[in-house]
């Protein structure tokens, strides 16, 4: 994953120099980023999407990749059952910057954002303890989240980056209890960075 992250970082740094649409950036990605989804398959995804049919292509690993969403400034692709990729073009002065998120689910989701963005501090994800929950149970639930993993997504309609806590290795009852005390965290694009 490090190799893909470094390649993606270098590519997006180059793309951010000139204002480009996410469509152009998607087509311009080197095949080494997603070796199972070459330029021809990425173009096929766009063609299918433009024809208003399901943009589902059989990738080079024999799985299906689907272009789920495409706007002037946003793109989301389900690469495989365990991975997804999103791009967002954000205004920066007279130009724009393209950010991307690669999310891997194995089985819990974890994301790599390029260029790098610092996620909110761990305590920000937690709500106050509900009155119906004991302090002991609240503390116990917080300690259950190991390893600490987060995944991220772009807002389709606004310049926001939303972080969620992943809940690996947990039974359904504990997962539901944690969902009561967890909240997503949003960072808003200010023209230079997410804050």
């Amino acid at each position: 994953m490090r190799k893909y992250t470094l390649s993606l970082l270098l590519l997006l740094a180059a793309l951010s120099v000139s204002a480009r649409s996410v469509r152009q950036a998607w087509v311009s990605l080197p095949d080494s980023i997603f070796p199972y989804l070459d330029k021809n398959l990425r173009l096929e995804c766009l063609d299918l999407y433009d024809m208003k049919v399901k943009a589902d292509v059989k990738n080079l690993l024999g799985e299906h990749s689907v272009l789920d969403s495409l706007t002037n400034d946003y793109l989301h692709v389900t690469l495989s059952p365990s991975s997804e990729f999103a791009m967002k073009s954000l205004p920066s002065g007279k130009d724009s910057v393209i950010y991307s998120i690669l999310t891997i689910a194995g089985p819990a989701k974890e994301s790599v954002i390029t260029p790098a963005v610092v996620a909110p501090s761990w305590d920000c994800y937690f709500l106050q303890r509900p009155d119906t929950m004991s302090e002991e149970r609240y503390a116990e639930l917080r300690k259950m989240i190991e390893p600490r993993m987060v995944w991220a997504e772009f807002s389709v309609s606004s310049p926001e980056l939303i972080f969620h806590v992943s809940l690996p290795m947990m039974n359904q009852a504990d997962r539901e209890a944690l969902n009561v005390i967890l909240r997503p965290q949003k960072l808003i694009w200010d023209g230079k960075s997410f804050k």
Side-chain angles (χ1 to χ4, degrees):
M1 184 136 155
R2 275 190 178 174
K3 181 175 119 182
Y4 293 130
T5 303
L6 180 59
S7 298
L8 195 56
L9 180 61
L10 294 172
L11 170 73
L12 290 174
L15 289 176
S16 66
V17 173
S18 62
R20 287 186 152 197
S21 70
V22 291
R23 175 185 286 265
Q24 291 168 318
W26 171 246
V27 172
S28 299
L29 286 173
D31 290 348
S32 61
I33 299 291
F34 307 118
Y36 51 93
L37 203 58
D38 64 13
K39 183 175 183 176
N40 290 334
L41 290 171
R42 293 192 304 273
L43 284 168
E44 185 178 341
C45 283
L46 292 173
D47 291 343
L48 292 169
Y49 194 89
D50 290 343
M51 290 188 296
K52 299 191 182 334
V53 297
K54 186 175 181 181
D56 182 340
V57 297
K58 191 171 185 179
N59 64 40
L60 300 175
L61 295 177
E63 296 180 324
H64 289 271
S65 297
V66 181
L67 174 59
D68 306 301
S69 297
L70 178 63
T71 67
N72 289 336
D73 66 352
Y74 175 77
L75 173 140
H76 182 273
V77 180
T78 301
L79 298 169
S80 71
S82 60
S83 62
E84 57 189 77
F85 178 74
M87 297 175 87
K88 182 96 172 163
S89 178
L90 298 152
S92 181
K94 295 179 182 177
D95 215 346
S96 61
V97 177
I98 295 179
Y99 275 75
S100 72
I101 302 172
L102 176 61
T103 301
I104 306 293
K109 289 184 174 184
E110 190 168 26
S111 296
V112 175
I113 303 166
T114 307
V117 173
V118 177
S121 70
W122 190 247
D123 286 334
C124 291
Y125 294 100
F126 293 95
L127 296 168
Q128 294 294 330
R129 177 183 59 84
D131 293 338
T132 57
M133 185 180 291
S134 70
E135 288 183 28
E136 295 79 18
R137 178 64 173 153
Y138 180 71
E140 178 185 300
L141 286 170
R142 286 184 58 133
K143 288 179 184 175
M144 283 183 184
I145 305 175
E146 284 296 331
R148 291 181 175 184
M149 297 167 51
V150 295
W151 63 278
E153 64 181 335
F154 294 116
S155 168
V156 177
S157 58
S158 61
E160 295 177 337
L161 180 59
I162 306 157
F163 289 88
H164 305 270
V165 174
S166 282
L167 301 174
M169 301 180 285
M170 193 169 294
N171 66 44
Q172 187 62 30
D174 289 340
R175 187 181 303 273
E176 288 171 8
L178 270 163
N179 282 330
V180 171
I181 65 169
L182 288 172
R183 66 175 168 205
Q185 290 297 299
K186 292 182 184 179
L187 297 181
I188 299 172
W189 179 253
D190 69 0
K192 295 181 182 177
S193 62
F194 284 102
K195 295 184 178 175

